Amino acid sequence: MSGVSESPPAYRSALAGSVGCVLGAAAILGTVDVVHSHGGAGAAAAIYGLWALVALPFAVAAGVVLGAGNATWGTGFVAAAMRRLRDDRSLDRAVAGGLIAGAIAAAVLAVAISKLVGPLVISVQRQNVGALLLGITAAVLAIVLAVLALPLFRVARLVARAVPAIGPMPRVVVLLAIAAGGAVGAGLLVIYRGLDAEALHLGFLFMLAMLPVLALAIAVFAYGPLAGVRARVPRRGILAIAAAVIAVASTALGLGGTPSDATKSAVIDHSYLGSKLIDLIRSKWDRDGDGFSPFFGGPDCDDSDPNVNPLAAEIPGDGIDNNCMGGDAPLPVDTGSAGSAGSAGSAAAAPVSPSLHADNVLIIFIDTLRYDHLGFTGYQREGASLTPRIDALEKQSVAFKCAFSQAPNTPRSVPSFMTSKYPSQVHFDKQFKSYAEVLDDNDTLFEQEKAAGLATFGESSHFYFCDDKKRPGDCKYDHPKHSNIDQGVDVWDNSDAVDIGPSNHDIAGPRIAAKTIAKLDELAASKQKFAMLVHMFDPHSTYMEHDKFTYKHGKDSLMEKYDYEVAFEDGLIGELLDELDKTGLAANTTVVLMADHGEAFGEHVVYGQADYFHGDTLYSELIHVPLLFRVPGAKACMRDDVVQLVDLAPTVAALTGAQPAKSWVGRSLLPAMSCDGPSALPAQSAFAELLPEPMWDHDAKAMVSSDCKQEAYYRISDGRWEIYDLANDPLEKKDVADEDGADALKAELTGWIEGSLAQHRNR
């Protein structure tokens, strides 16, 4: 009829409004992300593209839902519903009561399911059956709660009377605001009181959560106080389409092509979205199915050939860059290097000096102990060293200033140093596995020691060493586990070990020290020659507090708790050393003190998060470890030689007269252990590997130069190099990959990857 205005089409108006509000919110959040990333124009384009990629589907989905509401209840149904609730107090109370009743029922169901997961799923032998039982139980509980819904609703409606309507806002809105505020408050309380807030990586989730919140806020203003302004904007639908087109274009332009290393670093390591979304897109963008993608400068240089990827063995002289490291490898030249795979064991059989020999060996292996948090390296807290017993041991030992682990976590490092192989060379039942089984065809240190006539022992109390096949009932562990790391060990006492979760709050050191002391007493009485490994776990997170220390907490509370864990462990190590003196074993027992890896405290930002704890990078804080040898009758000194944990087994074998295994790639450190003059150990670089596993699917290699002055870090998953000057930048804050001298380091690490590892990969 003439003169009557028509309502705009339901879906078109909803989509236009949704696209405008959501893309506006994404533009604001994208700007925050760009500033946060400290990237240039290239990074800004990519970050805006990522926000557009997230925002567009959300905007369309929200628009479709709102459009359906418009079509069903009329345009502006949300505002109309709010008006009705405001005007009809009885309806307002009823809806608020329904929300309260629903929240109570959901909470009861969630608590019940959480309590039933253990007995119905985790503790049963066939977990798929347990999951089915849990599902059936949850369905029954839901029916019971539904039956109780009416009386629960009537009680909740009475409770809703206590929720006031504030001005134009109905009770429902006030209730939702209170619930949201309470949830946020409770979450923050848990995070800052019950969890290690410094190490939580919440930026990505927080920014994503802000997208609908900010879009809703924009909508409230656009359809509320600013409704008149919005109504006067002409052709709003066309503007929304134009905004969507610009968003699509920004995604294509910002994320297409090959970005510079600086742009990749800003987007992947420092932006909120790039840290997660780039990996997600790469996992889907893999045409040849080899597990690697070229997206956004990814490491696959030929996505049409599954035989070309960063983990492919390089075939020298075939004209193909098989592993995407910058060209075809030249034909190999035999340099006779002691550390190469081709000459494995050539340095392990160094002559044994009569002054460098011991009947027994005690290896004290401290989990997660970083080199630069020890007193003898200059570290103090409150003006004093936290490790007086380790400091005293260092003064009696040959200490290696530049010792490096081959992996940043226990499941990779322990098999590596026990078999004297780099992690990718160790034969596991499955490489892509969090806690892989070490296969029998590996040659371990204790197998060689046992063959030499020594009795062999392991003392620990940790889930990693659980082995239900060899020692059933040894662990309080809900999942069957066969580590098989104890090959060659006569007796491995891993009693009282607990499951993964409880182990992080377990103070295991005192009981490990007590049973080790008992075993040393027994061995001293029997005069039996022995080799023993003692695993001291306590510095591993979660760091526990101990009564003898005073904690200030504050922003560095994680480091404070870690330091006092190290101090606590130092006292237990002192008890072991005292026992050696008491029993007389110190006179003929070599003591080795080492760590499997270090610990990070936010020194670096990787994949959008400050790096805490360990297992996810190869920076020096994670691979630089202490390595001390106290040999009876031998002099003490500090050596600058670059050495590796794969050298541990050949060195111990040489000290005790055992034969090194032919498969070992490490070398004996005896040439460096005569403290009467300069070290006779040939200079050699150290190498480390980050291997992908289900919880952290990233691949990297690193090398510390033979003079201990530089580190080359190749982040394979990102196709990116980082170079650090350790002499002038020990915390590795400035990447000098583009400066003079970097190419030589890249070439050396590339040669090691293409040569030494190519013949040993067992993926």
Side-chain angles (χ1 to χ4, degrees):
M1 185 171 63
S2 176
V4 178
S5 62
E6 295 184 3
S7 297
Y11 284 94
R12 190 180 72 186
S13 63
L15 283 168
S18 176
V19 167
C21 293
V22 174
L23 288 184
I28 295 171
L29 294 171
T31 300
V32 173
D33 205 356
V34 168
V35 173
H36 173 74
S37 72
H38 301 289
I47 291 169
Y48 281 124
L50 287 171
W51 276 102
L53 191 65
V54 171
L56 273 175
F58 176 64
V60 172
V64 169
V65 172
L66 290 173
N70 286 343
T72 304
W73 297 296
T75 303
F77 73 95
V78 175
M82 290 300 102
R83 285 194 300 270
R84 184 178 177 190
L85 287 171
R86 187 180 62 229
D87 297 338
D88 188 343
R89 298 298 186 183
S90 177
L91 177 63
D92 189 19
R93 286 195 300 271
V95 174
L99 291 175
I100 294 172
I104 293 173
V108 170
L109 186 61
V111 170
I113 291 175
S114 69
K115 297 295 184 182
L116 292 171
V117 165
L120 289 183
V121 180
I122 297 177
S123 299
V124 299
Q125 187 172 4
R126 297 182 63 185
Q127 293 186 4
N128 58 335
V129 175
L132 179 61
L133 288 174
L134 180 62
I136 294 171
T137 305
V140 171
L141 284 172
I143 293 171
V144 172
L145 289 172
V147 171
L148 297 174
L150 183 58
L152 184 60
F153 165 69
R154 295 189 64 82
V155 173
R157 191 172 58 173
L158 295 175
V159 174
R161 291 177 179 273
V163 179
I166 301 176
M169 288 192 298
R171 283 184 171 85
V172 170
V173 175
V174 174
L175 182 63
L176 291 175
I178 293 173
V184 171
L188 292 175
L189 183 65
V190 170
I191 289 169
Y192 286 97
R193 289 291 184 89
L195 302 174
D196 295 322
E198 294 174 67
L200 295 178
H201 311 129
L202 302 177
F204 170 75
L205 294 176
F206 175 78
M207 291 293 280
L208 278 184
M210 283 303 297
L211 181 62
V213 171
L214 190 54
L216 181 60
I218 292 173
V220 168
F221 279 95
Y223 289 86
L226 300 178
V229 176
R230 178 183 60 82
R232 289 194 294 271
V233 176
R235 300 188 180 278
R236 295 189 301 277
I238 294 176
L239 290 177
I241 293 173
V245 170
I246 293 172
V248 172
S250 69
T251 299
L253 293 174
L255 299 175
T258 302
S260 67
D261 281 352
T263 295
K264 284 197 286 187
S265 177
V267 175
I268 295 173
D269 283 342
H270 298 283
S271 78
Y272 291 112
L273 287 197
S275 60
K276 301 294 188 295
L277 290 189
I278 295 297
D279 259 1
L280 177 61
I281 297 171
R282 282 175 176 171
S283 69
K284 307 301 180 185
W285 192 313
D286 179 16
R287 289 186 299 158
D288 58 13
D290 60 3
F292 293 93
S293 169
F295 176 74
F296 201 67
D300 196 342
C301 55
D302 187 349
D303 203 28
S304 64
D305 187 349
N307 296 313
V308 175
N309 62 69
L311 297 184
E314 185 65 30
I315 303 173
D318 69 345
I320 301 174
D321 183 11
N322 305 94
N323 61 6
C324 300
M325 295 193 68
D328 182 27
L331 293 172
V333 177
D334 186 6
T335 61
S337 171
S340 70
S343 57
S346 61
V352 179
S353 167
S355 62
L356 295 175
H357 177 74
D359 294 335
N360 314 309
V361 61
L362 175 65
I363 302 171
I364 302 175
F365 150 35
I366 306 173
D367 210 307
T368 323
L369 179 63
R370 58 186 280 170
Y371 179 82
D372 60 358
H373 275 237
L374 295 166
F376 74 83
T377 69
Y379 188 78
Q380 295 185 337
R381 184 173 281 274
E382 303 294 330
S385 167
L386 296 171
T387 55
R389 297 307 304 266
I390 294 177
D391 299 345
L393 178 66
E394 182 269 335
K395 294 183 183 302
Q396 303 168 343
S397 305
V398 178
F400 288 95
K401 186 177 181 180
C402 294
F404 294 91
S405 171
Q406 277 53 76
N409 58 2
T410 299
R412 298 296 187 185
S413 182
V414 173
S416 174
F417 71 69
M418 290 292 282
T419 65
S420 187
K421 291 180 179 180
Y422 294 104
S424 62
Q425 299 172 352
V426 178
H427 296 169
F428 293 109
D429 63 329
K430 186 179 180 182
Q431 276 281 6
F432 192 70
K433 186 177 180 181
S434 296
Y435 299 98
E437 174 189 336
V438 177
L439 299 181
D440 288 333
D441 60 352
N442 294 285
D443 300 310
T444 69
L445 167 61
F446 283 150
E447 286 179 311
Q448 303 307 112
E449 293 295 300
K450 186 173 182 178
L454 280 74
T456 52
F457 303 95
E459 298 289 348
S460 62
S461 188
H462 188 256
F463 75 87
Y464 174 69
F465 300 102
C466 291
D467 198 314
D468 295 311
K469 290 185 179 180
K470 295 183 177 181
R471 302 184 304 275
D474 200 26
C475 298
K476 302 170 184 175
Y477 196 79
D478 292 328
H479 309 87
K481 189 172 186 299
H482 178 47
S483 63
N484 204 35
I485 192 64
D486 60 352
Q487 296 173 43
V489 179
D490 292 320
V491 179
W492 194 300
D493 185 350
N494 193 48
S495 55
D496 297 320
V498 295
D499 209 341
I500 297 174
S503 75
N504 290 327
H505 297 85
D506 183 26
I507 301 176
R511 67 175 179 267
I512 296 171
K515 61 186 183 180
T516 300
I517 288 171
K519 177 58 68 175
L520 290 173
D521 279 341
E522 178 185 320
L523 291 169
S526 69
K527 302 190 182 303
Q528 186 178 36
K529 293 183 180 181
F530 67 88
M532 181 188 297
L533 182 140
V534 179
H535 173 238
M536 304 297 284
F537 175 70
D538 293 308
H540 193 288
S541 66
T542 299
Y543 318 122
M544 304 305 294
E545 296 187 6
H546 304 280
D547 293 339
K548 63 182 294 187
F549 303 107
T550 300
Y551 297 84
K552 295 181 179 179
H553 298 290
K555 68 175 184 178
D556 67 338
S557 61
L558 278 178
M559 186 179 290
E560 177 187 60
K561 289 190 288 185
Y562 171 82
D563 284 345
Y564 288 137
E565 283 273 52
V566 172
F568 177 74
E569 206 79 314
D570 181 76
L572 297 174
I573 289 166
E575 294 179 14
L576 300 183
L577 297 174
D578 290 343
E579 185 65 16
L580 292 177
D581 291 334
K582 175 184 173 182
T583 58
L585 287 172
N588 63 347
T589 301
T590 290
V591 176
V592 182
L593 185 138
M594 46 82 71
D596 56 344
H597 56 77
E599 190 78 314
F601 291 99
E603 292 88 350
H604 294 93
V605 175
V606 292
Y607 301 106
Q609 57 200 40
D611 185 34
Y612 284 84
F613 309 126
H614 56 269
D616 45 11
T617 74
L618 294 174
Y619 294 111
S620 61
E621 60 265 21
L622 293 191
I623 62 172
H624 191 189
V625 293
L627 182 60
L628 314 178
F629 291 85
R630 188 181 78 177
V631 183
K635 294 182 178 180
C637 59
M638 176 74 78
R639 288 301 193 190
D640 294 333
D641 305 82
V642 172
V643 300
Q644 310 179 89
L645 290 189
V646 289
D647 301 329
L648 174 70
T651 306
V652 169
L655 286 167
T656 57
Q659 286 296 313
K662 293 181 179 179
S663 63
W664 290 357
V665 300
R667 55 181 179 164
S668 169
L669 302 181
L670 261 61
M673 294 174 67
S674 175
C675 294
D676 293 323
S679 170
L681 193 68
Q684 181 178 299
S685 299
F687 301 92
E689 299 181 293
L690 173 66
L691 300 183
E693 53 100 359
M695 297 298 292
W696 189 250
D697 191 7
H698 295 281
D699 206 319
K701 312 291 181 190
M703 179 192 76
V704 176
S705 61
S706 60
D707 58 5
C708 205
K709 293 182 178 180
Q710 296 170 300
E711 179 179 357
Y713 186 8
Y714 179 40
R715 292 172 56 164
I716 294 173
S717 297
D718 304 320
R720 189 161 97 239
W721 285 91
E722 296 176 15
I723 305 291
Y724 296 98
D725 180 355
L726 296 177
N728 299 306
D729 180 23
L731 294 181
E732 300 178 314
K733 294 297 185 180
K734 182 182 178 183
D735 179 8
V736 295
D738 295 328
E739 298 185 10
D740 292 340
D743 288 345
L745 291 168
K746 293 178 183 178
E748 185 179 354
L749 179 53
T750 297
W752 180 77
I753 294 171
E754 292 180 340
S756 299
L757 287 182
Q759 27 182 323
H760 289 278
R761 283 202 175 96
N762 59 342
R763 292 182 184 275

